[in-house]
Amino acid sequence: MALRVCGRLLSNGAVLSGRLVGSARQESASCLLAAGNAACSRGGKHGFIFTPACFITSEAFLSGLMKGKAAETDGSIYHLPASVPPDSSEQVSLLLKHPDQPPDSKVLKVTIIGAPNAGKSTLSNQLLGRKVFAVSKKVHTTRSRALGVLTETDTQIILLDTPGLTTPSKAKRHQLEKSLLVDPWNTVQEADLVVVMVDVSDRWTCSGLDFEVLKCLAQHPHIPAILVLNKVDLVKAKDRLLDITAQLTCGVVNGRKVRVRPVIKPPWAQKKPERTPELSPDEDTAAHEDGAKPNSVLSREKLKELRSQQGWPHFKDVFMLSSVDREDVETLKNYFLVAAKPGSWMYHSEVLTDQSPEEVCTNIIREKLLEYLPQEVPYSMTQSIELWQDGENGELDISVKLYTKKETHMRMVIGTAGQMVARIAREAAEDLSRVYLRDVRLKLSAKMK
């Protein structure tokens, strides 16, 4: 599969632009862009050329990436992704199994952070090749830290999927678990590489990094970080991506300045009001209630400095992609494989996630509830697994009871003539069968708590 890169750099008043289409047959990467090149170019019939899955990086790293691509042969065997055993004891045994690593094993722990609904879980699922993390259009779909394992040849990539970074005041307002406050911060400490995801289709969030993300990066400046601009397929004016990149990186990538020549200022590029230098009373109070441990240990002076900036000037690389596009994500996966360092694997190659089969099941059901029910209803619901057993013909029989707080919510879940609950059960069972590699018969029932 071809690796496509395009770039544009404005430095010292000169504009350099170019485009590369690389394949396994290329003998060298000498024509690759120099460090700091922006990942898009202007030109062509309509004045602009854009190729997805493009990125800004160093020439040395790109050369290593191309060598890795050249090592692939046409006769290579495609290995199916691992799966989750439907039996909890099997999953526990698999997690405890000694890693079957080769002598020259490599490993990379990657933490994916970002504002809620940036596409973190979608990217993780695409990288793993199976849907093990819940995904929906509503915020706070991921409720706690989850781990995915991608093993290819001699390399193991540990994907640490985290809830969207949020504030104590928002968590209190929406009755969110404390894990949503603590897990992202704890997970970053474990990482070898931090991936910051930004939804560029949202004009309100793409004009600046979320303040919680900036705090997290500032607290761990020694951990390499890359920027991933997600949902680029939804951006009609591709020129925006250049300006967004410059703003979110403070014009610096991998230690090199990147300046984008301003054209006509678009309507969406309104001046964003500066963040309040001090914590709001609600946020400050919520952070210390119930003995909650503050997320950040940064000084007030540092926090004030972060509130005045919109980007992070220490990103090593920048990717522009759509997390639902397999080819786009394949480029990012190859980047991870090249970035991996010599080290011992953490898990056996058959491990896909550290979640139990029951956790995968309840998360997928919750995804469907978020997808089809009104805004407030899914967040107040709880689940209880009533039955989990093998059927007569080898299928997996699961029965889950959904508890609601109001009778009106229960009627919404059931739907007209039971159509809604039947649809949720059918779609969840289809997703689960692809994770467990077995036919799944899922029965859902609703009851008022």
Side-chain angles (χ1 to χ4, degrees):
M1 178 175 57
L3 171 68
R4 300 167 297 165
V5 184
C6 60
R8 174 184 181 270
L9 172 68
L10 175 60
S11 179
N12 300 324
V15 179
L16 304 177
S17 64
R19 188 179 181 193
L20 165 75
V21 178
S23 69
R25 292 192 180 134
Q26 280 187 295
E27 297 178 359
S28 69
S30 58
C31 60
L32 291 171
L33 303 174
N37 286 17
C40 293
S41 62
R42 302 180 194 272
K45 183 179 178 181
H46 300 290
F48 191 83
I49 299 174
F50 173 74
T51 306
C54 50
F55 53 91
I56 306 167
T57 188
S58 65
E59 183 173 358
F61 195 94
L62 276 174
S63 298
L65 187 58
M66 290 304 300
K67 288 178 182 177
K69 297 292 291 184
E72 297 177 3
T73 60
D74 295 336
S76 60
I77 301 174
Y78 174 74
H79 296 281
L80 289 172
S83 60
V84 179
D87 184 83
S88 294
S89 60
E90 289 183 28
Q91 173 70 343
V92 172
S93 299
L94 193 57
L95 290 170
L96 297 176
K97 198 172 182 180
H98 192 271
D100 54 340
Q101 62 189 31
D104 54 346
S105 62
K106 294 186 292 183
V107 67
L108 183 73
K109 289 180 285 185
V110 180
T111 293
I112 305 175
I113 65 172
N117 212 28
K120 301 179 292 296
S121 295
T122 302
L123 177 64
S124 297
N125 287 335
Q126 195 71 265
L127 286 166
L128 294 172
R130 294 201 190 279
K131 187 176 184 178
V132 294
F133 303 122
V135 176
S136 82
K137 297 177 182 178
K138 292 190 176 73
V139 297
H140 302 306
T141 303
T142 302
R143 309 293 282 194
S144 61
R145 168 196 175 281
L147 181 147
V149 183
L150 171 65
T151 304
E152 289 202 2
T153 58
D154 61 347
T155 305
Q156 188 168 88
I157 309 297
I158 309 298
L159 298 174
L160 303 168
D161 188 45
T162 63
L165 288 161
T166 187
T167 61
S169 59
K170 291 178 181 178
K172 183 179 179 181
R173 189 183 309 133
H174 298 292
Q175 299 179 346
L176 303 175
E177 299 94 327
K178 289 184 180 180
S179 62
L180 272 79
L181 290 172
V182 179
D183 284 354
W185 293 80
N186 291 343
T187 304
V188 170
Q189 298 176 12
E190 308 173 34
D192 301 317
L193 178 69
V194 176
V195 175
V196 178
M197 289 201 71
V198 175
D199 177 4
V200 292
S201 68
D202 187 335
R203 62 175 183 163
W204 301 111
T205 61
C206 71
S207 57
L209 291 178
D210 186 88
F211 181 56
E212 296 300 311
V213 172
L214 283 174
K215 285 200 300 182
C216 197
L217 292 171
Q219 195 165 322
H220 305 282
H222 60 285
I223 303 177
I226 66 171
L227 175 65
V228 172
L229 304 182
N230 189 28
K231 306 182 185 180
V232 296
D233 53 318
L234 302 180
V235 178
K236 294 181 179 179
K238 304 303 181 185
D239 305 60
R240 288 181 53 188
L241 297 174
L242 293 170
D243 302 310
I244 292 171
T245 300
Q247 192 162 2
L248 297 184
T249 61
C250 297
V252 178
V253 178
N254 201 22
R256 299 285 297 272
K257 286 188 177 181
V258 177
R259 293 187 293 118
V260 178
R261 176 185 295 168
V263 197
I264 300 174
K265 193 170 184 179
W268 57 269
Q270 301 294 331
K271 185 177 180 181
K272 191 174 181 179
E274 289 189 3
R275 302 179 177 101
T276 309
E278 303 294 336
L279 289 174
S280 65
D282 289 342
E283 186 175 348
D284 193 45
T285 303
H288 296 87
E289 281 187 354
D290 303 323
K293 185 178 179 181
N295 286 336
S296 177
V297 294
L298 300 172
S299 65
R300 285 189 173 269
E301 290 75 16
K302 184 62 176 178
L303 291 173
K304 186 175 181 180
E305 179 186 339
L306 290 176
R307 288 179 186 277
S308 65
Q309 69 184 64
Q310 305 299 330
W312 181 249
H314 306 295
F315 285 118
K316 297 296 181 183
D317 296 281
V318 178
F319 281 78
M320 301 178 186
L321 52 77
S322 170
S323 58
V324 298
D325 188 293
R326 183 171 296 180
E327 187 174 346
D328 283 7
V329 176
E330 187 73 17
T331 302
L332 183 61
K333 183 176 77 172
N334 289 330
Y335 180 93
F336 292 157
L337 294 173
V338 173
K341 303 296 182 183
S344 301
W345 288 1
M346 296 177 61
Y347 298 96
H348 192 274
S349 60
E350 294 179 3
V351 172
L352 180 64
T353 179
D354 65 344
Q355 299 176 92
S356 69
E358 291 83 3
E359 287 175 327
V360 174
C361 177
T362 54
N363 285 335
I364 294 297
I365 292 173
R366 187 169 177 278
E367 169 194 305
K368 305 305 177 185
L369 295 173
L370 286 165
E371 191 70 27
Y372 292 117
L373 299 179
Q375 186 71 33
E376 78 285 355
V377 179
Y379 296 103
S380 62
M381 294 179 63
T382 56
Q383 303 178 42
S384 174
I385 297 177
E386 305 288 321
L387 176 69
W388 190 288
Q389 68 179 22
D390 294 331
E392 296 179 356
N393 299 318
E395 69 278 1
L396 180 63
D397 289 327
I398 304 174
S399 178
V400 178
K401 186 162 289 186
L402 308 174
Y403 292 96
T404 64
K405 290 186 176 180
K406 299 180 181 179
E407 188 176 348
T408 53
H409 291 180
M410 185 176 68
R411 289 200 294 266
M412 289 180 190
V413 173
I414 296 173
T416 305
Q419 292 181 358
M420 178 58 71
V421 72
R423 179 179 184 178
I424 292 173
R426 182 178 65 254
E427 293 190 8
E430 291 174 355
D431 286 347
L432 292 172
S433 65
R434 286 189 283 268
V435 176
Y436 302 140
L437 299 184
R438 290 177 62 180
D439 288 334
V440 175
R441 292 192 303 193
L442 176 62
K443 179 183 177 183
L444 297 179
S445 58
K447 184 178 181 181
M448 195 170 72
K449 205 168 186 178

